[in-house]
Amino acid sequence: MTPIPYLDLSRGRRRFESALAERWRRVLEANAYVLGEEVRTFESAFADYLGAARVVGVANGTDALTLALRALGVGPGDEVLVPAFSFFATAEAVVLAGGRPIFCDVDESTYNLDPEDAAARWTPRTVGVVGVHLYGRPFDAESLAALASRQGGFLLEDAAQAQGARRRGRRVGTLGALAAWSFYPTKNLGAFGDAGAVSGPDAALVERVHRLANHGQTSRYHHVEIGTNSRLDSLQAAVLNLKLAALDDDNASRRELAALYRERLAGVGDLRFPADDPADEPVYHQLTIATAERDALQKFLAERGIGSSVHYPSPLHRQPALAALLPEPPELPRAERAAREVLCLPMFPELEPAEVEAVASAVADFFAGGARS
Ligand SMILES: Cc1ncc(COP(=O)(O)O)c(C=O)c1O
């Protein structure tokens, strides 16, 4: 059987290579490598695409989260609620900004932060909550925004995995006080290196991020606060400008492939798919299934040349670096179960429907007893 990769970045790269060569030549000729024309073009195009007041490019998604938290005023002793099931950077950024991450459980049917659990963990020291649109599926922004506003705190969106997704008709990235983006190469909108951005409905707040990302500088060599160096470079912005124009089509391809997976795998074994809310538009950054036999299934697929990946094998409160900050391990049974059971199958816009059919029939074989033969 021909191997089916979990992710093949070459297929995507080939689509953009020749147009990019021309754009990169212009950047090189202008000697404008950092915060040049391509960056300004991208910031305004992405703001238009989202319907956000302002977007500012930064060096990567981790910086986007950290700088957004700093701009929102997070400081020593401040508690920030985060889902216990996400990529490490969601909680790491809280610590980098000087705050304390408080882990909340996730909703079993979406893997996103459970607003009721978040409400129960809000204390007088809590200053805000970070929701993550995990796997490209929008979280319940209305409930979390209502909780934040009731408590006088902020809602920050970690939108790293959800470029182009819509919640109740609105683009994610416009639902909280600020949103942090990663354009790591594997993302739905991916650069050819590290890149990130912060967006938001309040242009002045996003400008604050811009200042922090550029050494706290208000004019040349005049620094009013300690910032950092986290700027988007022009070569990466040129990639993002090209790829932004293709994002909606690419996301539509992902949704079609996801529908095919769902159809072919309906009723197979104990497989569960995350719930899709018909009022939302997820963008399938990952195609995620869950089964009690996850590890055996992954091994079975690997033996047949089919790639898959576990996002994520450990909940955040079990990560040594974060566990060390906790007085005692919190009870987060749904995040624990997700970490034991989820498996991400091949999903990228250039994946062929025939490859999805082949992956689905291998999964079905596993549950039909192939694993035990
Ligand atoms: C949910 C989430 N948050 C934050 C990040 C951090 O982004 P970056 O790798 O660009 O620093 C990522 C991606 O890697 C992510 O998936």
Side-chain angles (χ1 to χ4, degrees), residues 60-62 65 86-87 89-90 132 158 160-161 182 184 187 195 312:
N60 56 64
T62 307
L65 283 166
S86 179
F87 179 60
T90 307
V132 181
D158 180 340
Q161 303 189 359
S182 165
Y184 184 73
K187 301 299 192 230
Y312 298 90

Side-chain angles (χ1 to χ4, degrees), residues 131-148:
V132 181
H133 302 291
L134 198 71
Y135 306 141
R137 173 168 288 95
F139 61 73
D140 179 351
E142 304 78 66
S143 299
L144 287 178
L147 170 66

Side-chain angles (χ1 to χ4, degrees), residues 166-171 279-281:
R166 282 195 171 93
R167 169 78 183 168
R168 305 287 190 263
R170 287 167 64 197
R171 293 274 190 208
D280 293 347
E281 257 178 59

Side-chain angles (χ1 to χ4, degrees), residues 267-319:
V268 168
D270 69 339
L271 281 190
R272 303 185 316 278
F273 281 86
D276 266 352
D277 187 328
D280 293 347
E281 257 178 59
V283 289
Y284 285 94
H285 174 57
Q286 302 289 352
L287 188 291
T288 308
I289 55 174
T291 164
E293 298 187 68
R294 191 265 311 278
D295 294 341
L297 172 60
Q298 184 171 34
K299 184 164 169 280
F300 180 87
L301 294 176
E303 284 161 6
R304 280 150 189 79
I306 296 173
S308 65
S309 184
V310 175
H311 297 254
Y312 298 90
S314 166
L316 294 178
H317 60 286
R318 300 255 176 226
Q319 290 289 352

